[in-house]
Amino acid sequence: MTPEQIAAASKPTVLELGDVFSRCPGTLRRARLLGISGWAFYVTGRAGALGDVRAETVAAALGFIAPDAVADGWDAAARTVRPVEVAAANLAECCRWGGQQLGPLPGTARLAELLHRIVGAADATGMPLFAAWRAMPLPEDGPGARAAVGLLLLREHFAGAYLLAVRAGGMSPVEAVLAGPEGAAGAAACGWPPPYPPVGPLVRRRLWAEAVTDRLASAAFRSLGPGEGVELLELLTTVRGQLRRPGSAG
């Protein structure tokens, strides 16, 4: 498999697994302990790595969430706690979840090794959120925590590449969300109010943007040696299968 093929094949699983911890009950409890809402914790926990910036800057970095929705969460959190502290709490929850859910699984240490090799080789140009997260110090260093953080970082790299591709393709962020699998429901969940433009003309542009995303991200996958790309895909598939088992807290 080529690096681009590996990037394309791994992307759906990374996008899924890199965000699972944020919906864990323990993560939601952390928001309450900080005295902020779950939405404020999500926005600030994800973008707080950028530091004390304005909501407009956060909206530009996140891209696919409506600016008003970003400002609602960001400004509400900032009245109570510094953004970088929320980001650090978010990272701690990611590590905690990883230690509990990924740590006991076979192959976790190897998965962490491959993920961190990829994100370490990734070009962060034009991806401020990915760059900021990659610079955050790890509060834990066990294999489960490292694997979870590796998934989070690779997810942000894919998200940053997709935002670049969408804009290069002449689409607005809300158009990209509308053309995605969740359509108008996804746009509403991201805070974009109706009326929405027709989706039909956007589908081809979205497919083009997906292909460009794979091409942009693929450079980081060149850090893998022969056979390691297939190994990565197998490990990701195994982890996803384990977390989807009935009774799994993942």
Side-chain angles (χ1 to χ4, degrees):
M1 297 179 73
T2 67
E4 191 168 334
Q5 289 172 328
I6 298 166
S10 65
K11 182 172 61 178
T13 307
V14 170
L15 293 178
E16 175 186 338
L17 297 181
D19 190 48
V20 171
F21 81 93
S22 68
R23 297 185 295 277
C24 174
T27 304
L28 300 178
R29 281 195 297 271
R30 179 63 73 97
R32 291 195 295 271
L33 290 173
L34 290 173
I36 58 179
S37 69
W39 177 246
F41 185 84
Y42 174 78
V43 171
T44 311
R46 188 173 168 208
L50 295 169
D52 296 321
V53 299
R54 295 182 180 273
E56 292 85 353
T57 302
V58 176
L62 292 175
F64 298 107
I65 303 176
D68 286 347
V70 169
D72 286 345
W74 183 263
D75 292 340
R79 289 191 289 268
T80 302
V81 60
R82 291 184 62 212
V84 70
E85 294 178 23
V86 184
N90 195 45
L91 184 59
E93 290 302 318
C94 178
C95 289
R96 177 196 57 76
W97 176 87
Q100 292 177 354
Q101 300 298 325
L102 305 183
L105 302 182
T108 294
R110 178 61 170 161
L111 176 62
E113 177 189 347
L114 295 176
L115 288 170
H116 281 273
R117 194 189 310 168
I118 295 166
V119 297
D123 185 353
T125 303
M127 304 180 189
L129 200 53
F130 167 68
W133 269 108
R134 190 169 59 177
M136 291 278 288
L138 285 179
E140 296 182 35
D141 200 32
R146 282 181 55 79
V149 172
L151 289 166
L152 181 154
L153 290 174
L154 189 51
R155 185 181 190 277
E156 290 293 354
H157 184 58
F158 275 127
Y162 185 52
L163 183 57
L164 290 174
V166 163
R167 302 303 290 129
M171 297 177 72
S172 67
V174 64
E175 288 176 333
V177 176
L178 284 169
E182 297 181 1
C190 290
W192 300 102
Y196 303 125
V199 174
L202 304 174
V203 174
R204 182 174 296 181
R205 287 188 180 185
R206 179 179 178 272
L207 293 175
W208 181 88
E210 291 282 2
V212 172
T213 299
D214 299 336
R215 198 171 309 132
L216 290 172
S218 67
F221 287 80
R222 294 176 194 150
S223 61
L224 300 179
E228 289 184 329
V230 173
E231 183 185 7
L232 172 69
L233 294 175
E234 291 174 347
L235 288 168
L236 289 171
T237 300
T238 298
V239 168
R240 181 171 61 179
Q242 292 288 332
L243 292 180
R244 286 181 172 180
R245 287 185 309 168
S248 170

